[in-house]
Amino acid sequence: MTQTDPAAVETFSGRTLAFTIPSRDTRGRIVRLDRALDEILATHDYPAPITHLLAEALVLAALMGSLLKDDGSQVTMQAQTEAGAVNLLVCDYKGGELRGYVDFDHSRLAELGANPSLFALFGKGYLAITFDVAKGKGRYQGIVPLEGETLAEACEAYFFQSEQVPTLIRTAVRSGGGKCSAAGMLVQHLPDGEEGRERLHARLDHPEWEHVAILAGSVKHEELLDSALSLEAIVWRLFHEEQEVRIERGAAIERGCRCSIEHYQDVLSKFPEEDRKEMRDDEGKIVVDCAFCSKKFPIEA
């Protein structure tokens, strides 16, 4: 295994690990969330099914966001319902900063029991994934139905349908006793071995991809969550028979709510004065409640 970052040490959690297998035209990302996950979940008193759902979504946002190389790029994932208990799930990742929240109907969720399915949570919902690429490279979005057992399966469908990239994603979430752990791995086949090229003939039955998908698919839930097992060790266990595996540490991940009084002042300045008057409270202030971090910001009118 080749480590392309000479200063890197083993990675256990709190940052992504990138890896490539040149002979198989494959790239991958693996992540295990710790402090950032705790901080995001601590801002809301979510019931267990929503905690599990948001933890998986945050892992997916970190994995997909780490595919973007340019500073200032961002990935946003939104899942919306059609007759489900969850109204809206939003996560985004930008330069190692991760945030997310879930808006849901408490009474409808309570009716679903302890382990509701994805369909029970969202009904005939959909998943929208948006990549905002920095340096003027544009913004693109794909929308897929929320089908399958997990959010990870919906993300796999997004990459194959919208980007023509065969993708395997595995996530693992464990919660209980007031603690939640989450981790995941994303592996992709780039047919010509070159990122960014047009992929006209993406094939799930490509022999190189079939080989990698079998190996990657063997990763165990327990391995991803084992805090004593480094991310490098997981990659080694899966792909140690390959000719070469290159690894590189990604950005450190932290809770990244970007709310501030200045930000909301700028947003509110774009509203007509009549609208701002209606927003003011008895003291003449506009109180903005950030859904991500649950903080309230009193803005002077």
Side-chain angles (χ1 to χ4, degrees):
M1 185 180 295
T2 301
Q3 190 158 280
T4 55
D5 180 357
V9 295
E10 283 192 299
T11 307
F12 288 86
S13 63
R15 69 171 66 235
T16 54
L17 182 77
F19 61 93
T20 57
I21 308 174
S23 64
R24 303 290 184 182
D25 297 334
T26 294
R27 70 173 177 180
R29 300 291 187 271
I30 186 168
V31 68
R32 186 182 293 135
L33 300 180
D34 52 7
R35 181 174 54 83
L37 176 63
D38 292 338
E39 292 176 353
I40 293 169
L41 294 176
T43 60
H44 296 81
D45 186 18
Y46 289 123
I50 300 300
T51 293
H52 191 284
L53 178 70
L54 181 55
E56 181 187 14
L58 290 166
V59 166
L60 292 168
L63 290 171
M64 293 187 293
S66 65
L67 296 173
L68 298 171
K69 294 183 176 180
D70 295 321
D71 291 341
S73 297
Q74 176 175 315
V75 63
T76 302
M77 182 170 69
Q78 296 184 51
Q80 289 191 259
T81 187
E82 186 177 311
V86 174
N87 300 315
L88 176 66
L89 178 151
V90 180
C91 293
D92 66 44
Y93 173 99
K94 183 177 183 180
E97 294 186 348
L98 185 64
R99 63 179 183 172
Y101 80 94
V102 184
D103 177 46
F104 63 98
D105 186 314
H106 286 76
S107 59
R108 294 194 64 183
L109 181 69
E111 296 172 357
L112 300 179
N115 297 297
S117 66
L118 194 67
F119 180 79
L121 289 171
F122 287 97
K124 294 182 179 179
Y126 67 88
L127 178 71
I129 299 175
T130 306
F131 289 90
D132 288 291
V133 186
K135 300 181 180 179
K137 295 182 180 179
R139 181 176 190 266
Y140 55 100
Q141 182 185 74
I143 299 175
V144 294
L146 268 173
E147 298 174 342
E149 298 297 321
T150 64
L151 286 174
E153 290 184 25
C155 289
E156 288 177 346
Y158 160 79
F159 279 108
F160 190 71
Q161 294 176 22
S162 300
E163 296 201 20
Q164 317 273 282
V165 180
T167 301
L168 180 144
I169 303 174
R170 293 290 181 267
T171 58
V173 179
R174 180 171 57 219
S175 58
K179 291 290 292 180
C180 183
S181 304
M185 181 177 67
L186 177 152
V187 181
Q188 294 184 321
H189 183 234
L190 304 178
D192 290 313
E194 181 177 334
E195 295 184 30
R197 288 190 61 174
E198 187 175 10
R199 292 176 275 274
L200 299 179
H201 304 290
R203 292 168 45 198
L204 290 175
D205 63 346
H206 191 290
E208 300 289 4
W209 172 243
E210 286 184 332
H211 174 83
V212 170
I214 290 171
L215 295 179
S218 70
V219 69
K220 295 181 175 59
H221 188 276
E222 294 76 15
E223 289 177 307
L224 289 171
L225 292 174
D226 186 353
S227 60
L229 186 64
S230 72
L231 303 183
E232 288 87 347
I234 295 175
V235 175
W236 171 252
R237 285 186 179 187
L238 295 173
F239 305 112
H240 63 275
E241 294 185 354
E242 299 304 312
Q243 295 177 6
E244 180 183 21
V245 180
R246 301 173 184 171
I247 62 173
E248 184 173 3
R249 297 176 89 202
I253 297 175
E254 57 187 22
R255 182 176 71 89
C257 194
R258 296 180 286 277
C259 58
S260 67
I261 287 180
E262 292 75 17
H263 169 71
Y264 289 125
Q265 284 176 332
D266 180 61
V267 172
L268 289 169
S269 69
K270 297 178 172 61
F271 284 81
E273 175 59 24
E274 288 301 314
D275 291 348
R276 292 201 298 270
K277 283 182 179 179
E278 294 181 4
M279 299 177 192
R280 293 171 186 159
D281 62 14
D282 294 339
E283 297 179 359
K285 296 180 180 179
I286 300 174
V287 179
V288 181
D289 187 353
C290 177
F292 287 101
C293 67
S294 294
K295 292 180 181 179
K296 293 187 177 182
F297 296 84
I299 310 298
E300 296 288 346

